[in-house]
Amino acid sequence: MSTAASETPYTIISADCHAGGNMAAYEQYLDPTWKDEFKDWRGQYKNPYRDLQDDGRTRNWDNDRRQSELAADGVVAEIVFPNTVPPFYPAGALVARPPTDKADYDRRLAGIWAHNRWLKDWCADYPDQRCGLPQIFVDDLDDSIKILEWAAAEGFRSFMLPHIPPDSGMLGYWSPHWDRLWQTVTELDLVVTQHGGGGGPDYGKTPASWLIFLMEVPFFAHRNLAHLILSGVFERHPTMRYVMTEQGVAWLVEELRRMDAYHAEMKRGGRIGELGFDADLVLPLKPSEYFDRNVWIGASFPSPSEAAVMATIGTHKMMWGNDYPHHEGTYPYSLQSLQRSFADWDEPALRQILAENAAAVYGFDLARLAPIAADHGFTPTQVATPLAEIPTDATSPAFFRP
């Protein structure tokens, strides 16, 4: 059982929440030159997403509803990823395929700017409690850097880096092509946060297409860790901070072990099996050491087995997320989720993953959040009480994975 030392409620910062404007709001933030085209696009678009329909959709933008529901769920602050569909997009930005041509790119870039402008004002409604992540395109580095410079000037502390689809024609993040991007984020002191985006392969419309998508979508996000470590990005930019969110945790154990093993072989003889490598590719530190210095994990709705891996990798590297307002998120049963996965954890470790790490990485002021947590947070005794029964209407994998 937990050896909780106090009954001071936990401050909980969710490392994984989602929000976005509705179509009327986006129209207000769209550059005027696109408004006629926006009306045509909006008239033809049909929303395919379950959590953006009917009553549930207002959770994405309605301040009163959102703040009251998060408070009831024990969450006092949030890191906010996109959710609603920006203008001119065929789907949400986290899953949409890349633009098909220059005209499509220009339209979507205008849509991204509309979302980012909306996000700035929406976060300003609760500046102590919201850390919004503006979006960038990586199709054009000049446009990417322009957005990042704007974001830093407007007070954003991080941004969302999309992964690169394998059939996009662009080299992965191991390429020197991206050095301008890493230099910019380091100079601007922006945290790099990665959570999907950029789409994946075209799986077609077969009966199994969405199942294969679900199986493979984590891979296209996971691969960026090796890209950045093994190509020396963190060696060249030692102060760069990189967060990987809603990508699971258990995969990291084998990934870090394998990278360290390759590194040891290269260091010993300059080879990995039959392949020889130049000496300048042998990094001064082990890959796991770069991970420990430069990388954090946003662990969304972790199950008990994933919580155990979080402890193995290191609680100083982990942040907890409830994935509000998604169907797989833990709302309104975040307390029960914490009880199932963390009832036997010590209070200091839980305070790390529930708030301290997120505050350190994303710049939240814990002293300003403490009074809100005092009113709405769960106490160590509550969380240390083992879950007696899974709520009958729970939908999060946190309750059904081992």
Side-chain angles (χ1 to χ4, degrees):
M1 288 294 293
S2 168
T3 56
S6 75
E7 281 306 288
T8 302
Y10 287 115
T11 296
I12 299 181
I13 302 171
S14 174
D16 180 23
C17 287
H18 296 259
N22 58 21
M23 290 300 178
Y26 281 151
E27 184 175 12
Q28 294 177 14
Y29 286 92
L30 194 64
D31 186 290
T33 59
W34 291 97
K35 290 197 174 181
D36 288 340
E37 193 164 346
F38 172 78
K39 289 184 173 72
D40 293 338
W41 171 81
R42 183 180 178 184
Q44 300 174 35
Y45 181 77
K46 292 184 178 179
N47 175 17
Y49 295 107
R50 179 175 182 176
D51 64 351
L52 297 179
Q53 295 174 1
D54 303 323
D55 178 63
R57 62 182 179 170
T58 62
R59 291 190 171 105
N60 288 286
W61 59 77
D62 185 276
N63 276 338
D64 291 340
R65 180 177 189 179
R66 188 180 185 97
Q67 292 305 108
S68 64
E69 290 186 350
L70 285 172
D73 212 33
V75 175
V76 302
E78 53 178 328
I79 294 133
V80 186
F81 294 88
N83 203 37
T84 56
V85 180
F88 309 119
Y89 263 69
L94 291 173
V95 298
R97 294 275 300 157
T100 55
D101 53 34
K102 181 64 165 60
D104 188 22
Y105 172 83
D106 288 342
R107 285 191 295 268
R108 293 206 212 175
L109 182 61
I112 285 295
W113 271 109
H115 171 82
N116 290 346
R117 295 184 191 110
W118 170 87
L119 183 67
K120 170 185 170 290
D121 287 348
W122 184 79
C123 287
D125 291 336
Y126 293 89
D128 293 332
Q129 296 176 258
R130 292 174 176 170
C131 175
L133 301 177
Q135 302 175 70
I136 66 168
F137 267 126
V138 292
D139 303 65
D140 186 308
L141 267 180
D142 289 335
D143 287 337
S144 300
I145 290 172
K146 186 181 298 184
I147 292 176
L148 293 175
E149 290 173 341
W150 169 85
E154 294 294 345
F156 285 105
R157 306 187 291 276
S158 183
F159 70 99
M160 196 190 81
L161 179 76
H163 70 249
I164 297 176
D167 54 356
S168 65
M170 294 185 287
L171 288 173
Y173 289 131
W174 68 83
S175 169
H177 169 75
W178 305 106
D179 282 349
R180 282 179 59 208
L181 181 63
W182 314 135
Q183 185 65 34
T184 297
V185 300
T186 302
E187 290 174 352
L188 295 174
D189 195 27
L190 289 171
V191 178
V192 182
T193 305
Q194 198 255 314
H195 180 330
D202 185 351
Y203 292 98
K205 297 185 182 301
T206 70
S209 292
W210 279 111
L211 281 174
I212 303 305
F213 166 82
L214 289 172
M215 287 298 297
E216 294 191 353
V217 70
F219 165 75
F220 295 109
H222 294 170
R223 65 205 292 256
N224 289 342
L225 181 64
H227 293 183
L228 294 175
I229 291 178
L230 296 181
S231 67
V233 171
F234 296 141
E235 172 61 25
R236 297 191 299 276
H237 303 283
T239 63
M240 182 172 155
R241 292 162 295 166
Y242 177 59
V243 181
M244 306 181 77
T245 299
E246 199 179 345
Q247 298 174 34
V249 180
W251 65 278
L252 283 164
V253 176
E254 173 57 20
E255 189 81 351
L256 293 172
R257 185 208 64 78
R258 191 155 56 110
M259 283 194 285
D260 276 358
Y262 287 153
H263 177 264
E265 289 185 64
M266 292 170 67
K267 192 172 182 179
R268 184 172 59 250
R271 308 187 66 83
I272 300 175
E274 300 302 317
L275 299 175
F277 296 91
D278 293 338
D280 59 2
L281 279 175
V282 182
L283 297 167
L285 304 179
K286 296 192 298 184
S288 59
E289 291 173 325
Y290 290 106
F291 174 88
D292 197 63
R293 188 184 71 187
N294 295 90
V295 182
W296 288 262
I297 301 297
S300 304
F301 46 83
S303 67
S305 60
E306 291 170 317
V309 179
M310 292 167 68
T312 298
I313 293 172
T315 56
H316 64 300
K317 294 280 92 182
M318 299 290 155
M319 298 175 280
W320 177 89
N322 69 342
D323 203 25
Y324 177 93
H326 282 173
H327 185 258
E328 68 266 27
T330 56
Y331 171 82
Y333 299 118
S334 288
L335 173 59
Q336 290 84 350
S337 171
L338 292 171
Q339 290 172 332
R340 182 171 190 255
S341 297
F342 299 101
D344 60 348
W345 278 44
D346 289 340
E347 180 184 340
L350 265 180
R351 291 198 183 277
Q352 275 190 310
I353 71 165
L354 293 179
E356 291 172 359
N357 295 335
V361 173
Y362 288 105
F364 289 97
D365 187 332
L366 290 177
R368 295 179 72 89
L369 295 178
I372 309 172
D375 290 336
H376 302 290
F378 308 132
T379 66
T381 295
Q382 285 178 293
V383 175
T385 302
L387 181 63
E389 185 178 2
I390 293 173
T392 57
D393 57 342
T395 56
S396 176
F399 294 106
F400 307 107
R401 291 175 180 166

